[in-house]
Amino acid sequence: MRNLLTRWQPLGLRLLLSLASLLAYAPLLTLQVLYVTDDIFTSDIASGELPGRMLVGAALRDGFLPTWTPRLCSGFPLEVLAGEPLSSSLFALFSPVVALDLWVLTLILIAAHGAFSLARRLGASSAGALLAGVAFAQSGYFATQLKHLSIIATLCWLPWGFCAIWSLFSGLRREAGVGGGGRSELLTALGPLSGFAAVIGMQLLAGFPQSAYISALAYLAFAAYCVGPWLLGRGGRPGAGLARLGLSGVAALLGLGMGAATWLPLYELGKLSDRGAEQTYEWATMLPYSLGDLWNLLVPYPNGDVGQGTYLFGSHSLFWEGYGYVGLATALLALVALVLGYRRGLTAFIVLLTGVSLLLVLGRNTPVFRWAWAFVPGMKLFRFPTRFLIVVELGLCLLGALGLTWFQQALPRRPSWRRVKMLLPWGLALLTAAELGYHHQRQNPFVWARDWFAPPATVQAIRQRVPVGAPRIYTPEHKRLHTEAFMRASGWKDLRPYFSQREFIEPNTGVYYGLSAPNGYVGIAPRWHVDVWGDHNRAGVADQGLLADASDRMLPTPGLLRLLSAHSVRFLLSSHDFELPGLAKLPRSGAVQVYENLRALPRFRLVSDYEVTESTASAVLTPGFEPAVTVALSSQPHWPSSLPQPASVNEDGVSLKYEQPDQLRLEVRSTGERLLVVSDTDFPGWEAQLDGVRVPILRAYGDVRALAIPAGVHEVRFAYVASAFRRGALLSLCCALGILAAALLAWRGRRLRPNAA
């Protein structure tokens, strides 16, 4: 019986860890809920992460590569979301709510078990490792950043990267002086090396470069610590340490290659965006971490809770960027580790790594981040130094685990203390899990998916007018309207204002109901698209089409209506009643008035006249401009002259013959030289053929595609060639297969050496 219990004890401990780590996220276990955590002006999960993942899954189910979608931002390179294998598989196999819940649960468990395994490798007891696992998975950083799933999908692997590095060099430590080498030593190293490469690959595939960059800096520091004794000649053979350091670099390159399916198209998109260059120090340190935020490491919500509407923005950092509570017991036990183990090299390193990371988090409050920003390569590409907080939290969790271990060992060995010595550590670990679950569960308010996905009345009104297809909609001032809902809800204490806010169909949420919008909420977008529609960092030309009336209401102007018409926007949703020629009111739905744009132009159309101007979108706002007869272009069109002259036609017309997300075939009948306008986002990778001959694509109205069409009947084909994604996916596959082969070779070598450590 004792042998049986001993055999099943690790599994039971892992099960206990899993259950304890999910206390703050327990509703997800129903697989029927969504969380609608807010970001003041939008919902990062409901308006950002979820719609894009849904479209990736839908494309895969339909048998297409998820490289492009016309349903986000009038067209968006979906490939930047498609590389993450776990989410893509789940959203292809299951309904959106089940896929989301399973994905989040998996990420949390990866983080919990990674921190547990790392703590055990570093010498923590089972109870100490349990504390590290539950504190990391339910930490303030994870709870508040759960709405940024790309961040969590990157950082959940952070402890596993440390595990691989430690295993690599601890294996070398065991072999020091034994006389191993050559093929045997390489086989020993292949296991952790393949694991390290896989971790880096998964982090890059998650699609949040800043978090992967922070992880890489932490790995580099840890590897330097681990190899230090060999470089100083204190660990046996210096050459062996250098060899494994070199092999870890090779593994990192393999991991970089494995992540190419995401980072390569993301890099291409980044070059076309506002973030394509290094940023200023002021931009990098915007919304800094205040000294008062340090209390977050010791006390839950010391400066108020944004979810309860008690957090004062402006006096502290953004709540979800600076909140880092990991439990009172964890913090106090970290101090115990500092007192009891400051002379131990490992403890000193963790303290140093945690301390330096905390100084970076403090941003402009100390000169440390300024120095790092100036001298560390890559630092100038990112903002929010508060995101180094994840390293601080992992360090506190590891120190807490070691502190609990040493505290347990320091207890008296008298028989009367035996029960206390056994139960107290486990009690502290489970109490920490319960405390964090209690405090952090309200950071992610859950709603039943059937209620949230139920079409609001405004969707029903639009569908009565357009039963099929994906009509385009636009909601002016959607950020202001969402902020008002945020204020009425006191953060997300009362979710009723958010249910009412659904009626406005914010950007990207139309995906739930088969609607689309010319604007959108995405983390990174082409600068010419932002020039027209703006984003969460700056305004666009469309915002210039709103003017304040006598009551300070921001109302659309005829210029905005022309811009919307040029982009084939048929419906406009507003909280205000107003009259504007060309707009027809539909029945009002509560606080929302839906207008039908009777002048909306077809998505595919021929235009007879054009004008070339630098600011093609602003030209549409000019009084007298008529997008039905004139198209504003950014360059001079040239009509092809080498095509055979087809028979003449009596009237202009465009017929849709075939469409998929990345392909479009049209039949165009033109009575003369015309410009074909396709009201979809212009983006590198789109190619056009006119009667089988490749022709250049023009940019119209600032961000959509146009083509010069000669007289006659023509076949026009558009195709999106996702070259960056295809190259990246091929490289990812090759590197993943290489990593798998190395892992299998290491496993086979271990089986052939049954006495291996």
Side-chain angles (χ1 to χ4, degrees), residues 19 156 275 305 365 456 645 716:
L19 295 176
C156 70
R275 303 187 185 185
D305 179 3
N365 291 302
Q645 296 296 321
V716 176

PDB file of all heavy atoms in Angstrom, residues 19 156 275 305 365 456 645 716:
ATOM      1  N   LEU A  19      -6.213  22.084  -9.403  1.00  0.00           N
ATOM      2  CA  LEU A  19      -7.460  22.589  -8.823  1.00  0.00           C
ATOM      3  C   LEU A  19      -7.231  23.891  -8.070  1.00  0.00           C
ATOM      4  O   LEU A  19      -8.020  24.843  -8.181  1.00  0.00           O
ATOM      5  CB  LEU A  19      -8.056  21.527  -7.898  1.00  0.00           C
ATOM      6  CG  LEU A  19      -8.509  20.230  -8.573  1.00  0.00           C
ATOM      7  CD1 LEU A  19      -8.979  19.218  -7.529  1.00  0.00           C
ATOM      8  CD2 LEU A  19      -9.621  20.510  -9.576  1.00  0.00           C
ATOM      9  N   CYS A 156       3.086  32.274 -20.022  1.00  0.00           N
ATOM     10  CA  CYS A 156       2.833  31.034 -19.290  1.00  0.00           C
ATOM     11  C   CYS A 156       3.981  30.041 -19.460  1.00  0.00           C
ATOM     12  O   CYS A 156       4.172  29.148 -18.629  1.00  0.00           O
ATOM     13  CB  CYS A 156       1.507  30.414 -19.740  1.00  0.00           C
ATOM     14  SG  CYS A 156       1.523  29.733 -21.412  1.00  0.00           S
ATOM     15  N   ARG A 275       4.475  51.583 -35.450  1.00  0.00           N
ATOM     16  CA  ARG A 275       5.494  51.031 -34.566  1.00  0.00           C
ATOM     17  C   ARG A 275       6.671  50.452 -35.337  1.00  0.00           C
ATOM     18  O   ARG A 275       7.409  49.618 -34.835  1.00  0.00           O
ATOM     19  CB  ARG A 275       4.883  49.951 -33.673  1.00  0.00           C
ATOM     20  CG  ARG A 275       3.718  50.471 -32.847  1.00  0.00           C
ATOM     21  CD  ARG A 275       3.247  49.448 -31.854  1.00  0.00           C
ATOM     22  NE  ARG A 275       2.063  49.903 -31.137  1.00  0.00           N
ATOM     23  CZ  ARG A 275       1.495  49.238 -30.135  1.00  0.00           C
ATOM     24  NH1 ARG A 275       2.003  48.095 -29.743  1.00  0.00           N
ATOM     25  NH2 ARG A 275       0.422  49.705 -29.537  1.00  0.00           N
ATOM     26  N   ASP A 305      -9.527  49.240  -6.582  1.00  0.00           N
ATOM     27  CA  ASP A 305      -9.768  48.142  -7.517  1.00  0.00           C
ATOM     28  C   ASP A 305     -10.517  48.690  -8.721  1.00  0.00           C
ATOM     29  O   ASP A 305     -11.629  49.207  -8.595  1.00  0.00           O
ATOM     30  CB  ASP A 305     -10.591  47.053  -6.818  1.00  0.00           C
ATOM     31  CG  ASP A 305     -10.901  45.888  -7.737  1.00  0.00           C
ATOM     32  OD1 ASP A 305     -10.438  45.893  -8.895  1.00  0.00           O
ATOM     33  OD2 ASP A 305     -11.622  44.978  -7.303  1.00  0.00           O
ATOM     34  N   ASN A 365      11.130  56.519 -12.714  1.00  0.00           N
ATOM     35  CA  ASN A 365      11.354  56.848 -11.306  1.00  0.00           C
ATOM     36  C   ASN A 365      12.790  56.596 -10.864  1.00  0.00           C
ATOM     37  O   ASN A 365      13.213  57.064  -9.807  1.00  0.00           O
ATOM     38  CB  ASN A 365      10.400  56.046 -10.412  1.00  0.00           C
ATOM     39  CG  ASN A 365       8.966  56.495 -10.581  1.00  0.00           C
ATOM     40  OD1 ASN A 365       8.638  57.654 -10.367  1.00  0.00           O
ATOM     41  ND2 ASN A 365       8.102  55.579 -10.995  1.00  0.00           N
ATOM     42  N   PRO A 456     -28.302  41.567 -30.382  1.00  0.00           N
ATOM     43  CA  PRO A 456     -29.058  42.685 -29.815  1.00  0.00           C
ATOM     44  C   PRO A 456     -30.090  43.218 -30.808  1.00  0.00           C
ATOM     45  O   PRO A 456     -30.085  42.843 -31.991  1.00  0.00           O
ATOM     46  CB  PRO A 456     -27.977  43.727 -29.509  1.00  0.00           C
ATOM     47  CG  PRO A 456     -26.838  43.382 -30.403  1.00  0.00           C
ATOM     48  CD  PRO A 456     -26.884  41.899 -30.590  1.00  0.00           C
ATOM     49  N   GLN A 645      -8.522  44.144 -77.675  1.00  0.00           N
ATOM     50  CA  GLN A 645      -9.695  44.997 -77.573  1.00  0.00           C
ATOM     51  C   GLN A 645     -10.967  44.146 -77.654  1.00  0.00           C
ATOM     52  O   GLN A 645     -11.277  43.570 -78.696  1.00  0.00           O
ATOM     53  CB  GLN A 645      -9.694  46.036 -78.706  1.00  0.00           C
ATOM     54  CG  GLN A 645      -8.531  47.018 -78.626  1.00  0.00           C
ATOM     55  CD  GLN A 645      -8.603  47.868 -77.374  1.00  0.00           C
ATOM     56  OE1 GLN A 645      -9.676  48.290 -76.950  1.00  0.00           O
ATOM     57  NE2 GLN A 645      -7.444  48.117 -76.773  1.00  0.00           N
ATOM     58  N   VAL A 716     -11.447  40.185 -63.847  1.00  0.00           N
ATOM     59  CA  VAL A 716     -10.496  40.722 -62.885  1.00  0.00           C
ATOM     60  C   VAL A 716     -10.354  39.718 -61.747  1.00  0.00           C
ATOM     61  O   VAL A 716     -11.356  39.267 -61.181  1.00  0.00           O
ATOM     62  CB  VAL A 716     -10.952  42.084 -62.331  1.00  0.00           C
ATOM     63  CG1 VAL A 716      -9.991  42.570 -61.246  1.00  0.00           C
ATOM     64  CG2 VAL A 716     -11.043  43.108 -63.454  1.00  0.00           C
TER      65      VAL A 716
END
